[in-house]
Amino acid sequence: MKIAVMGTGYVGLVTGALLADAGNTVVCVDIDERKVSMLREGHIPIYEEGLESIVQRNHEDGRLLFTTDAAEAIKKSNIVFIAVGTPSDHDGSADLKYVLKVAEQIGDNMNSTKIVICKSTVPVGTCDKVQGVIAGRTDVPFHVVSNPEFLKEGSAVKDFQSPDRVIIGASDKEAAETVGELYKPFMRRSDRIVYMDLRSAEMTKYASNAMLATKISFMNEIANLCDRVGADVEHVRIGMSLDERIGPHFIFPGVGYGGSCFPKDVRALSRLGHEFDMETGVLDAVESINDRQKLRLVSAAREHFGSLEGRTFAVWGLAFKPKTDDVREAPALIGIRALVAAGAKVQATDPVALENAKHELADLGDAVTFEHDEYDVLEGADALLIFTEWNQYRSPEFDRILAALKSPVIFDGRNLYSPAKMKKLGIHYDSIGRPTV
Ligand code: NAD
């Protein structure tokens, strides 16, 4: 099939590259000229394991093209994906300006019957809006299909190649089946395509993300309670996980969820409820628990040191989770801002997110410095704060940590080390929901 993908970010690029890899001809469109020229030279603008070689191979074979020319890409395609961002608006609702702009472009260039697939995460009713915008600009028949994306940054290629499920929402059966055909190459093990109406498909995406965010906030609340009552959340977690109705996934306590999806999607779903005069108590609690949890390590540091004024802190991990360079709404960035606001200096590192974090924190000036080596940031610091559970932080050389830190203090937001071992090493060790031994 001939496909245009509007928006070449984390979702659009993976979608375009893997649909090209399955034999389709794909044009990826972006308004960001820098991204497009990098991609044309065979480099990907994001860190995503395994993606660059797929992009290069398909680009060289002529199946995967990159352009800023939306009109031409739309005209040459019979399927157009919308994969642009849907960030939070000032009131927490999803800002649909990028999606609706693309809908206008599609309407203006509708030279033949097309299927328009909304892959961006959008509130219920958005596909109807897209339908209205396009229909207002053309008489050529077309179909709008909702096909929300569930890939995870860090394992996006694998997730797209073998998805748990593909959701297709449509009012036209034939259009839905044509979209289903696109995913057949990824369904060889078993068919996991679920067909439904447009609104249910849009809701499935939000409900899934909100459920996952709820699990995280729930476990963080349990962890904080464990802290108060002297229980160990790691034992509690394992004990809970053996109940088949609960399971082991996504019940790890930590410093809260971040990234470009959960925070904005929980907010947007809550806003949708309010729009329809419905209280969304669970969602509101999930968000406020998360906001507090992101500052959990800074509160622990304040409890330990008293004033943070004039102190220096080392930070390990800036990405919102391992295996990505995405720092959008990352707990580390919120923690760093709080430390600097309290008068502290920060020395930070991350294996792949340094450049993005530098850009995001540029307004803090020299209150934050960045190093590639995780041991370099420890030099002269009063304590180490761990925000992201990168594998290389799991078994560090503790003698080097002890030699570099001014005082042997670690605030671990990901429960990476054994409290007993830390005690033996003479480290003041504060983790999430586990008693200090
Ligand atoms: P992103 O910010 O990485 O990429 C969006 C891209 O769209 C940018 O490169 C931007 O320049 C481009 N763009 C904006 N307007 C455009 C236009 N008119 N024409 C062409 N390009 C345009 O966003 P993302 O993380 O890929 O997310 C895209 C959507 O997918 C969002 O709705 C998000 O919620 C959803 N989603 C994201 C993930 C994820 O892990 N990132 C997972 C599932 C779903």
Side-chain angles (χ1 to χ4, degrees):
M1 295 203 216
K2 291 197 180 338
I3 299 169
V5 180
M6 310 298 289
T8 311
Y10 289 86
V11 166
L13 183 57
V14 173
T15 302
L18 288 162
L19 289 176
D21 209 41
N24 301 287
T25 303
V26 181
V27 189
C28 285
V29 183
D30 208 286
I31 48 173
D32 185 336
E33 286 178 12
R34 189 191 60 93
K35 267 189 194 178
V36 170
S37 52
M38 261 184 98
L39 285 159
R40 281 178 167 164
E41 281 161 23
H43 304 297
I44 62 169
I46 54 170
Y47 176 85
E48 190 57 57
E49 243 172 50
L51 183 59
E52 193 158 75
S53 59
I54 298 174
V55 167
Q56 282 168 354
R57 188 174 65 241
N58 286 283
H59 186 50
E60 278 161 20
D61 290 350
R63 275 190 304 272
L64 181 61
L65 307 167
F66 302 100
T67 184
T68 52
D69 188 345
E72 168 113 349
I74 294 164
K75 282 182 186 152
K76 285 192 174 158
S77 307
N78 39 33
I79 291 185
V80 184
F81 276 91
I82 303 178
V84 294
T86 47
S88 278
D89 213 338
H90 53 87
D91 64 351
S93 61
D95 183 350
L96 296 178
K97 67 171 177 283
Y98 303 109
V99 169
L100 298 178
K101 174 78 198 160
V102 170
E104 287 176 10
Q105 290 174 313
I106 296 171
D108 290 342
N109 294 287
M110 188 66 80
N111 58 338
S112 60
T113 298
K114 298 181 198 297
I115 296 176
V116 176
I117 304 177
C118 201
K119 191 164 257 318
S120 297
T121 303
V122 290
V124 176
T126 305
C127 284
D128 292 339
K129 284 187 187 160
V130 167
Q131 171 92 31
V133 170
I134 300 174
R137 301 170 99 89
T138 182
D139 292 328
V140 178
F142 67 96
H143 299 288
V144 174
V145 172
S146 168
N147 169 224
E149 183 50 57
F150 295 91
L151 63 76
K152 304 181 285 298
E153 287 173 23
S155 58
V157 170
K158 192 178 127 284
D159 291 345
F160 198 96
Q161 282 171 331
S162 55
D164 292 338
R165 80 294 210 190
V166 168
I167 301 292
I168 297 177
S171 45
D172 184 88
K173 194 163 178 278
E174 210 178 306
E177 281 170 2
T178 304
V179 178
E181 285 299 314
L182 283 179
Y183 289 96
K184 283 279 156 64
F186 309 104
M187 295 289 148
R188 290 174 55 216
R189 190 160 37 93
S190 63
D191 197 332
R192 297 170 310 282
I193 303 178
V194 186
Y195 294 96
M196 57 182 77
D197 62 281
L198 279 170
R199 287 180 175 240
S200 303
E202 290 171 322
M203 183 58 105
T204 303
K205 173 64 191 177
Y206 275 105
S208 300
N209 273 4
M211 168 66 95
L212 294 170
T214 302
K215 287 180 97 173
I216 294 174
S217 277
F218 177 83
M219 277 316 285
N220 283 335
E221 187 156 88
I222 294 296
N224 293 342
L225 201 49
C226 285
D227 267 336
R228 299 285 170 98
V229 300
D232 184 333
V233 74
E234 292 302 335
H235 293 316
V236 175
R237 176 178 65 76
I238 290 163
M240 288 168 67
S241 72
L242 295 171
D243 183 327
E244 282 182 1
R245 295 166 304 174
I246 298 173
H249 302 295
F250 245 75
I251 55 171
F252 290 83
V255 281
Y257 58 80
S260 64
C261 292
F262 292 173
K264 79 169 174 62
D265 292 349
V266 169
R267 283 195 291 266
L269 193 54
S270 161
R271 284 308 310 164
L272 190 70
H274 294 175
E275 226 177 88
F276 284 84
D277 283 333
M278 204 190 107
E279 290 295 321
T280 51
V282 172
L283 298 174
D284 299 344
V286 166
E287 192 184 0
S288 70
I289 291 167
N290 194 58
D291 287 345
R292 218 178 319 134
Q293 199 68 12
K294 283 181 168 178
L295 293 168
R296 167 70 176 71
L297 298 189
V298 179
S299 307
R302 204 171 264 128
E303 209 167 287
H304 181 78
F305 290 109
S307 167
L308 302 181
E309 178 101 45
R311 302 247 172 220
T312 299
F313 293 100
V315 164
W316 280 8
L318 297 163
F320 82 94
K321 66 174 184 179
K323 296 190 178 177
T324 181
D325 61 349
D326 198 342
V327 297
R328 290 179 278 189
E329 303 208 32
L333 269 54
I334 288 157
I336 289 172
R337 286 194 179 279
L339 291 169
V340 172
K345 285 200 181 281
V346 174
Q347 302 172 166
T349 189
D350 187 281
V352 302
L354 267 193
E355 290 311 314
N356 285 343
K358 263 185 206 172
H359 180 74
E360 283 298 314
L361 297 173
D363 59 300
L364 298 182
D366 57 11
V368 189
T369 53
F370 299 91
E371 300 285 349
H372 283 283
D373 188 296
E374 62 261 36
Y375 294 98
D376 287 349
V377 297
L378 301 170
E379 287 303 329
D382 291 283
L384 164 65
L385 279 64
I386 304 174
F387 281 95
T388 317
E389 66 277 33
W390 284 98
N391 258 347
Q392 50 267 60
Y393 302 158
R394 289 184 185 275
S395 301
E397 296 175 47
F398 285 105
D399 50 342
R400 288 183 70 187
I401 295 180
L402 284 168
L405 284 176
K406 210 153 56 175
S407 50
V409 182
I410 299 179
F411 301 106
D412 176 3
R414 300 295 177 180
N415 290 356
L416 300 185
Y417 315 129
S418 135
K421 181 174 175 186
M422 294 302 101
K423 188 179 183 195
K424 229 167 156 186
L425 289 169
I427 295 174
H428 172 90
Y429 179 65
D430 185 291
S431 53
I432 309 288
R434 297 188 297 175
T436 314
V437 290

